[in-house]
Amino acid sequence: MINVSDQPAPPAPTSPRSLIVTLYGAYGRFAPGPVPVAELIRLLAAVGVDAPSVRSSVSRLKRRGLLLPARTAQGAAGYELSAEARQLLEDGDRRIYAGAPPGDEGWVLAVFSVPESERQKRHVLRSRLAGLGFGTAAPGVWIAPARLYEETRHTLRRLRLDAYVDFFRGEHLGFTPTAEAVGRWWDLAAVAEQHEAFLARHAGVLEAWERRDDTPPEEAYRDYLLALDSWRHLPYADPGLPAHLLPAHWPGLRSAAVFRGLHERLRDAGAEFAGLA
């Protein structure tokens, strides 16, 4: 999956542009060729997006180099993913479909220095590191679980920001207990609110499906795409800290379980409606 993190901040979930990205991440990238415009309009209509919104959102994604115009084998106008977009999807998969966070794995530190003459790049660096799940350990020193290193390295190289950053691996030795320190490095209350919002929107959807024996493809597609669109931003806001470093009753465990339940129940049935594989 994709989190469009090398451009301005991602749109709010359920925006037409966000839903198109989610559609390609869930189904469109597995199509044997470009996805016809008519199919994009049909599939987005199922989640409440009208045709003009689809066309304008596709145009913006094309300008950003994420979608490329192409013709299907039958000659219909369509769009396929750029190589950059496919890499972003692959990076996102490791987060969005990950299981429970691992135990202690150490930390990666990103230390950057940007000349005053290029201070705009300082803002971009801060924004991108935050968007990748890094917390702030000190001015100019950003911290994240070690597993985020490879994706971060790919992203900063793609943005040509790697010359300003040094990475280090290590462990936290004190003096503040690590479970207390992470509360300074990340705004865990804000992250918890995002998890609670996801639960408020989708936990009842999963409960309703669990009471059913049937799984109609169009309904499955609609509920899965909306859930995935809400969920795919969360693993970037939440760095995936080990459970013993999180507050008691952390809602991220419940929201991950709800998404996993919806994914297992609905993804394949939704693919029948999407018809892109």
Side-chain angles (χ1 to χ4, degrees):
M1 270 301 306
I2 183 169
N3 184 73
V4 187
S5 57
D6 57 344
Q7 294 287 338
T14 73
S15 75
R17 180 160 58 95
S18 180
L19 284 164
I20 291 169
V21 171
T22 301
L23 171 61
Y24 271 93
Y27 301 117
R29 60 172 150 164
F30 305 112
V35 180
V37 174
E39 276 299 282
L40 288 175
I41 290 172
R42 177 183 75 89
L43 292 170
L44 272 296
V47 288
V49 180
D50 60 29
S53 296
V54 173
R55 294 183 186 279
S56 63
S57 297
V58 164
S59 294
R60 286 194 292 271
L61 291 167
K62 182 176 71 171
R63 286 196 298 271
R64 290 175 57 184
L66 298 175
L67 291 181
L68 304 175
R71 292 281 174 179
T72 68
Q74 294 73 35
Y79 288 90
E80 61 188 7
L81 292 163
S82 66
E84 175 188 1
R86 289 189 179 276
Q87 180 64 61
L88 289 168
L89 287 169
E90 291 171 8
D91 284 344
D93 282 349
R94 288 188 286 273
R95 296 202 192 206
I96 292 161
Y97 302 109
D104 287 327
E105 57 182 322
W107 304 96
V108 59
L109 296 177
V111 180
F112 66 82
S113 178
V114 179
E116 184 61 24
S117 60
E118 298 179 277
R119 58 183 177 273
Q120 177 58 28
K121 291 183 179 179
R122 188 182 308 138
H123 169 74
V124 174
L125 259 171
R126 289 173 180 150
S127 175
R128 292 309 97 222
L129 289 171
L132 288 162
F134 278 69
T136 309
V141 180
W142 292 67
I143 189 167
R147 70 180 180 282
L148 302 187
Y149 164 67
E150 288 293 341
E151 181 182 358
T152 304
R153 183 171 63 86
H154 294 160
T155 299
L156 297 186
R157 278 188 172 172
R158 186 164 56 244
L159 294 171
R160 299 192 176 104
L161 294 171
D162 50 306
Y164 304 97
V165 182
D166 284 306
F167 287 109
F168 302 87
R169 288 186 186 270
E171 57 183 310
H172 181 240
L173 300 176
F175 295 96
T176 305
T178 306
E180 182 180 331
V182 297
R184 296 198 313 263
W185 301 340
W186 285 274
D187 186 349
L188 293 179
V191 177
E193 286 181 5
Q194 293 184 53
H195 283 296
E196 294 287 5
F198 178 85
L199 287 164
R201 190 173 181 188
H202 299 287
V205 176
L206 177 60
E207 291 171 5
W209 279 106
E210 289 175 337
R211 293 192 294 268
R212 297 179 62 168
D213 295 324
D214 62 335
T215 313
E218 183 172 358
E219 291 180 51
Y221 164 85
R222 181 197 64 222
D223 286 350
Y224 179 63
L225 200 74
L226 292 173
L228 179 58
D229 192 62
S230 295
W231 173 256
R232 70 181 180 85
H233 303 287
L234 261 171
Y236 287 86
D238 185 335
L241 301 175
H244 71 275
L245 297 180
L246 293 167
H249 310 297
W250 180 247
L253 301 176
R254 289 180 284 125
S255 66
V258 167
F259 173 71
R260 187 165 53 251
L262 289 167
H263 175 75
E264 292 172 355
R265 177 65 184 269
L266 304 179
R267 193 271 171 194
D268 290 347
E272 294 181 36
F273 178 75
L276 297 175

